[in-house]
Amino acid sequence: MQLNFPHLPEVTSVFSQFALHERLLKAVAELNFVEPTPVQAAAIPLALQGRDLRVTAQTGSGKTAAFVLPLLNRLVDLRERRVEIRALILLPTRELAQQTLKQVQLFSQFTYIKSGLVTGGEDFKEQAAMLRKVPDVLIGTPGRLLEQLNAGNLDLSHVQVLILDEADRMLDMGFAEDMERLCKECENRQQTLLFSATTGGAALRDMIGKVLKDPEHLMLNSVSQLAEGTRQQIITADHDKQKEQIVQWLLANETFDKAIIFTKTRHLADRNYGHLVAKDVKAFVLHGEKDQKDRKLALERFKQGSSKVLVASDVASRGMDIDGLDLVINFDMPRSGD
Ligand code: AMP
């Protein structure tokens, strides 16, 4: 694969060549990760050196391991555990936060490092109780983290590493102020890594200027690279009603195992879902207004294959990692080419 990153080593074949602790390498082997992905090959050595990084890479590129492994490596030899929060990972959505927690737990399974999750849609008091036990690594979404902070339940002053994942999307979702506040709370941090799927606009540049120190920029994707092996088609339509008919035609005539229909709004997601159900198509709908339990259930069922179609507002569903997804319909123009 042709990469945009000029310093990428030509052959980075195995994880053991990274200066990672043996307990982490054991977890990597347990997970059957053999070859690092390009983003891992580029980011892990620099992150291990303690550099601030700005990484442009998509979900599916292996970016989670690219920041989780160096982060855990920093904490693996800590003598005192669960005294202070040492690392904070900020993400835009609950689903992404849950997925990331899972990866952190898998990579830290042979260490004493404990992680915790703070997102909306979960019990506030239970979270506060979890925070009293002080996880080494905290993963969460900005809104609820701020609420816990304002309630006096969260001390971020000992955070050594701060990760902003899907930073462009967090900004799109209006989290700029919350992100800044949380970054300020991590004032004693030694390293910040910022990941975004797109190169972003002025808001992202502004955030980068505020939170990163002399960062290296790793560009790991481009539109053309992502399009390899994917057949892309633009279908023009005059209005939403016609689009809905086209969606139904596509679902009836394309061959696929799993399809996602992205819409720009919750309302359109619900409408499309209604039309599909009326046509006896087994589908689920996912958006921010859904109860957290329903969202989890919809995603699980879709992943397991008990429904073939998921209708989702793009905010609710970005960054999901779903095997076997082979048809994506953007009901509205996607926000960016990436
Ligand atoms: P991510 O982009 O971090 O969401 O990762 C996408 C998927 O790729 C996840 O299911 C990871 O478990 C998997 N993955 C990441 N890195 C590797 C690797 N080096 N080898 C095999 N699988 C990987």
Side-chain angles (χ1 to χ4, degrees), residues 15 31-37 39-40 58-67 96 99 103 107 319 321 323:
F15 275 90
L31 292 173
N32 292 323
F33 283 22
V34 181
E35 271 185 48
T37 65
V39 68
Q40 292 159 0
Q58 292 276 350
T59 295
S61 61
K63 67 183 169 65
T64 315
F67 61 76
L96 258 181
Q99 252 172 233
Q103 291 226 33
F107 283 123
D321 175 21
D323 280 340

Side-chain angles (χ1 to χ4, degrees), residues 40-323:
Q40 292 159 0
I44 291 176
L46 290 171
L48 284 173
Q49 286 169 22
R51 288 287 306 263
D52 275 13
L53 298 179
R54 173 197 172 183
V55 183
T56 311
Q58 292 276 350
T59 295
S61 61
K63 67 183 169 65
T64 315
F67 61 76
V68 170
L69 286 169
L71 176 160
L72 293 175
N73 200 69
R74 183 187 277 269
L75 307 184
V76 75
D77 276 332
L78 264 187
R79 292 257 167 82
E80 288 184 317
R81 310 223 150 261
R82 316 195 73 183
V83 183
E84 315 286 358
I85 296 167
R86 317 279 184 165
L88 176 67
I89 304 175
L90 277 184
L91 301 122
T93 65
R94 298 160 193 184
E95 282 79 11
L96 258 181
Q98 280 155 0
Q99 252 172 233
T100 305
L101 173 75
K102 230 179 246 169
Q103 291 226 33
V104 171
Q105 287 170 336
L106 286 170
F107 283 123
S108 59
Q109 62 182 304
F110 301 114
T111 75
Y112 297 102
I113 298 168
K114 293 281 175 245
S115 37
L117 187 70
V118 168
T119 67
E122 306 282 349
D123 189 85
F124 194 86
K125 281 190 186 149
E126 274 177 32
Q127 278 172 3
M130 179 277 290
L131 289 171
R132 276 196 293 280
K133 290 195 220 145
V134 193
D136 303 298
V137 180
L138 185 65
I139 298 151
T141 49
R144 178 58 70 85
L145 280 168
L146 257 193
E147 283 169 27
Q148 292 287 5
L149 190 76
N150 291 334
N153 298 334
L154 193 56
D155 176 7
L156 297 173
S157 62
H158 296 268
V159 165
Q160 298 177 15
V161 196
L162 170 66
I163 315 281
L164 305 170
D165 192 17
E166 305 257 353
D168 49 348
R169 177 51 48 131
M170 279 196 277
L171 291 168
D172 280 354
M173 288 169 74
F175 282 134
E177 263 181 44
D178 295 0
M179 287 161 77
E180 266 185 52
R181 166 89 198 279
L182 289 162
C183 291
K184 273 211 185 103
E185 291 292 324
C186 305
E187 58 191 349
N188 297 315
R189 67 186 187 272
Q190 292 153 21
Q191 187 178 30
T192 312
L193 308 179
L194 181 145
F195 286 72
S196 65
T198 64
T199 44
L204 186 66
R205 277 197 300 279
D206 188 45
M207 184 62 65
I208 286 163
K210 281 180 181 151
V211 305
L212 296 182
K213 260 191 232 140
D214 184 26
E216 179 96 43
H217 185 186
L218 311 181
M219 279 279 283
L220 269 299
N221 57 13
S222 65
V223 174
S224 56
Q225 207 181 84
L226 288 165
E228 258 173 41
T230 306
R231 184 168 58 91
Q232 302 204 48
Q233 196 180 2
I234 296 170
I235 304 173
T236 52
D238 292 328
H239 44 72
D240 283 351
K241 213 163 177 195
Q242 191 184 4
K243 285 198 215 171
E244 283 163 8
Q245 286 165 350
I246 295 171
V247 166
Q248 284 165 33
W249 187 90
L250 285 170
L251 292 177
N253 291 282
E254 288 281 335
T255 344
F256 64 92
D257 280 330
K258 282 186 195 147
I260 288 194
I261 302 161
F262 287 118
T263 63
K264 210 155 47 186
T265 65
R266 292 165 186 177
H267 171 69
L268 276 171
D270 276 336
R271 257 184 60 162
N272 268 288
Y273 170 70
H275 288 307
L276 294 176
V277 172
K279 295 245 172 214
D280 275 341
V281 177
K282 251 194 134 200
F284 285 109
V285 65
L286 190 74
H287 56 60
E289 243 164 50
K290 287 263 155 203
D291 182 54
Q292 178 66 3
K293 248 199 242 143
D294 290 346
R295 285 169 66 169
K296 264 190 202 158
L297 198 71
L299 253 185
E300 280 312 311
R301 295 236 171 109
F302 182 63
K303 281 186 176 175
Q304 287 158 12
S306 61
S307 81
K308 283 179 72 174
V309 183
L310 183 71
V311 189
S313 69
D314 56 4
V315 166
S317 49
R318 196 170 109 135
M320 288 184 314
D321 175 21
I322 293 166
D323 280 340

